[in-house]
Amino acid sequence: MLSATDLANPEVANLVPYEPGKPIDDVARELGLEPGSIIKLASNENPIGPSPKALEAIRNTLPSLHFYPDGAGYHLRNGIAGVFGLELKNVVLGNGSNEIIELAYHSFTRPGQHEIVTSENAFAVYELMAQLFGVGCTKVKEKDGFHQDLDAILAAITPKTRLVFVASPNNPTGTRIPNDALDRFLDALPDHVVAVIDEAYYEFLDNPPDTLRAVREGKKVILMRTFSKIQGLAGLRIGYALTTTEISGLLERSRQPFNTNMLAQAAALAALQDTEHQKKTKEMTDAGRLRLQEAFTRMGRKFVPSEANFVLVEVGDAASVFKKLQAKGIIVRSMVSYRLPAWIRVSIGTPAQLDLFLAELPGALPTA
Ligand SMILES: Cc1ncc(COP(=O)(O)O)c(C=O)c1O
């Protein structure tokens, strides 16, 4: 008898699912701990929470929940376009920016025919989606300690390549691409590829690049942004693409009619306008990053200097350090699934959360 797996699309059946940061509730259940006593530094969320203005927008929207959301996302797309000096048609909303990745595959790749190019330690979802879509994935070696090598990426493009994924800052490495290198890369792209520039952590950058120039100039580029990070709305699943009107039309064709929900649209618009909340988050992140990196230096731990709201640090045995910290109610991200089994990634928490983490880390490290 055939099993359901025999009938399944082999791309799906063989997929190793994405391993997200462990939820607080799971750890509480497994270890019999109070959820309130657990801190999560595993998914690069905003530790000070969502913007109060976003919460107010959600409360104001609640009585309308019996209606479908605006499938075209008029108010939010207009608001985003206004912030960036673009037109509504340059903006595509996604159920998290993860959905934008999926829409790009839907719109630009065909199974068995096309390939994508990305970096060896790029955000895992690019490769995962390639597998799911039956598309080849070339991962290019990095240089100088976890830095993406844009020249090597350009050199790896073949006639079959349709999408190129570059994240700046990248997750899990936290490294950014220098502005001039990114400019040169965008100018050098061959005609037959679409570049996806993942800017999930863009708002944490000092001296951010003017990647919008490429959109204004009509290049084949998709800039991905999200409300999950600096705006603290990860739970609502809302992100967006900034792109040319031609590409946005193609991405729009691939999405479900109501891919983003009403609460997310309202909250995101309010959060976008709450620059005070973003500023506060960036200041806390900058201070926390400096503190973590200085502490790792004092401890003689190798780490990757970060430009985002997390730091990748070498601990010897990530699986065991993850477990020991978890037993103390601290959830970090083991990098075993990223094929970096000696490293953990720590999101920058509040000062009090970092106090706890730094107090417990030495006891969790392997004894020499
Ligand atoms: C580099 C990068 N891109 C995209 C995402 C997806 O974020 P979301 O789907 O929450 O917008 C993440 C999430 O961690 C990320 O780190």
Side-chain angles (χ1 to χ4, degrees):
M1 201 175 109
L2 288 170
S3 72
T5 307
D6 294 327
L7 301 178
N9 175 346
E11 267 84 40
V12 172
N14 296 330
L15 196 77
V16 180
Y18 178 73
E19 199 184 306
K22 205 158 171 182
I24 287 179
D25 271 356
D26 285 10
V27 175
R29 263 195 316 275
E30 283 170 24
L31 301 180
L33 298 172
E34 267 301 307
S37 71
I38 297 171
I39 62 169
K40 184 176 175 217
L41 303 174
S43 299
N44 310 335
E45 294 145 335
N46 186 330
I48 61 173
S51 145
K53 293 192 172 130
L55 295 180
E56 192 190 337
I58 288 174
R59 279 191 294 274
N60 293 338
T61 308
L62 287 173
S64 304
L65 284 185
H66 56 299
F67 291 117
Y68 281 95
D70 173 8
Y74 176 82
H75 291 295
L76 178 56
R77 285 169 75 207
N78 227 3
I80 293 169
V83 168
F84 298 111
L86 298 170
E87 303 293 323
L88 176 140
K89 282 193 170 162
N90 295 115
V91 182
V92 180
L93 301 181
N95 195 271
S97 56
N98 261 319
E99 193 191 13
I100 303 292
I101 303 173
E102 195 176 338
L103 299 184
Y105 275 95
H106 272 303
S107 299
F108 292 105
T109 65
R110 303 197 74 180
Q113 283 188 25
H114 293 141
E115 297 171 356
I116 69 116
V117 178
T118 192
S119 277
E120 113 186 84
N121 293 303
F123 183 48
V125 175
Y126 315 145
E127 186 181 9
L128 204 115
M129 290 277 175
Q131 221 179 315
L132 197 57
F133 279 83
V135 165
C137 173
T138 301
K139 293 202 288 180
V140 173
K141 267 201 115 32
E142 290 168 356
K143 58 174 186 182
D144 311 331
F146 296 103
H147 284 271
Q148 293 163 86
D149 185 341
L150 296 188
D151 291 331
I153 289 179
L154 285 172
I157 292 173
T158 73
K160 288 183 172 177
T161 308
R162 279 293 173 276
L163 296 171
V164 174
F165 287 91
V166 162
S168 186
N170 180 47
N171 169 23
T173 55
T175 54
R176 80 181 285 176
I177 295 166
N179 293 354
D180 54 347
L182 194 50
D183 271 345
R184 278 199 306 276
F185 173 77
L186 290 170
D187 288 340
L189 283 167
D191 198 38
H192 69 283
V193 305
V194 174
V196 183
I197 311 296
D198 186 342
E199 301 185 317
Y201 303 95
Y202 182 86
E203 296 89 345
F204 292 104
L205 287 175
D206 293 323
N207 182 24
D210 179 20
T211 37
L212 276 172
R213 173 187 70 93
V215 176
R216 287 192 301 267
E217 290 177 358
K219 293 194 191 306
K220 296 189 195 80
V221 60
I222 299 172
L223 309 179
M224 274 176 34
R225 306 265 175 106
T226 183
F227 287 96
S228 298
K229 306 300 175 185
I230 207 159
Q231 274 105 356
L233 297 177
L236 284 177
R237 311 305 304 126
I238 182 101
Y240 56 102
L242 302 173
T243 187
T244 64
T245 51
E246 185 182 1
I247 293 179
S248 89
L250 294 164
L251 297 177
E252 285 280 321
R253 284 183 181 84
S254 305
R255 69 170 177 84
Q256 290 191 30
F258 302 108
N259 64 326
T260 63
N261 72 75
M262 187 186 284
L263 298 180
Q265 289 183 21
L269 182 58
L272 188 70
Q273 287 152 357
D274 191 350
T275 48
E276 194 48 43
H277 179 259
Q278 291 167 45
K279 184 164 170 274
K280 201 165 126 191
T281 304
K282 182 169 182 328
E283 283 167 3
M284 194 201 62
T285 306
D286 287 344
R289 187 195 306 113
L290 191 66
R291 182 173 169 207
L292 272 186
Q293 296 187 164
E294 282 177 356
F296 295 149
T297 304
R298 271 197 308 278
M299 293 165 75
R301 288 280 136 201
K302 202 157 122 192
F303 64 91
V304 183
S306 169
E307 307 271 350
N309 64 344
F310 54 86
V311 184
L312 190 64
V313 56
E314 196 176 36
V315 292
D317 178 353
S320 117
V321 171
F322 167 82
K323 237 174 150 175
K324 285 184 182 155
L325 286 173
Q326 185 178 254
K328 302 285 182 185
I330 301 168
I331 315 173
V332 295
R333 189 74 156 264
S334 150
M335 288 288 113
V336 171
S337 63
Y338 270 89
R339 298 181 205 94
L340 296 169
W343 299 73
I344 60 168
R345 194 194 64 201
V346 188
S347 304
I348 294 162
T350 61
Q353 290 175 335
L354 295 187
D355 285 346
L356 267 175
F357 168 73
L358 288 172
E360 296 296 348
L361 180 63
L365 292 170
T367 42

